[in-house]
Amino acid sequence: MNEEHMEVVMGLIMHGGNAKGYAYQAIQDAKAGNFDEADQKIELANQELKAAHDTQTGMLTQEAQGNHVEVDLYMVHGQDHLMNAITFKDLAVEIIELLRRLDEK
């Protein structure tokens, strides 16, 4: 595996992990009634997911141009991290909305 490939994989893992971490922090903020902070953490999660998505788009562009992108267990692991982070962030948004509605009552 070359260094560039490993950097791509680590970028997916890092940005995915950061996004999931911010989403988790957002839920904790919302549980404490700090909805502005929760919204800020969700925005940070979105920024991390965008960075990972940009990496993913780069790989798809390379593949579309005929430059095969190596798919190995590391890449699958990186993609797993990213997909889990996206799902977790989406659920965090829903949980925060429920907590916000309960707080308003």
Side-chain angles (χ1 to χ4, degrees):
M1 171 182 309
N2 65 38
E3 187 176 326
E4 181 181 340
H5 181 76
M6 187 55 88
E7 285 179 17
V8 168
V9 169
M10 294 309 295
L12 292 173
I13 293 169
M14 180 189 69
H15 291 299
N18 289 345
K20 186 176 177 185
Y22 284 130
Y24 181 82
Q25 291 172 12
I27 293 169
Q28 299 309 307
D29 287 337
K31 284 170 54 178
N34 301 321
F35 295 102
D36 289 339
E37 289 87 350
D39 293 340
Q40 291 171 0
K41 298 285 180 18
I42 291 296
E43 179 54 36
L44 291 170
N46 284 332
Q47 291 172 17
E48 291 289 339
L49 290 174
K50 182 187 180 316
H53 183 262
D54 289 348
T55 298
Q56 202 175 39
T57 300
M59 290 186 303
L60 291 170
T61 300
Q62 288 294 316
E63 190 74 35
Q65 292 173 343
N67 302 319
H68 180 67
V69 175
E70 182 182 355
V71 178
D72 54 19
L73 189 55
Y74 294 112
M75 182 62 71
V76 171
H77 184 66
Q79 292 292 332
D80 282 347
H81 269 273
L82 177 55
M83 294 308 300
N84 281 322
I86 291 168
T87 302
F88 193 91
K89 193 274 304 184
D90 289 345
L91 287 171
V93 168
E94 294 299 318
I95 291 168
I96 292 164
E97 181 59 28
L98 288 171
L99 291 169
R100 184 176 277 130
R101 288 182 185 185
L102 287 172
D103 189 64
E104 291 172 355
K105 290 185 177 188

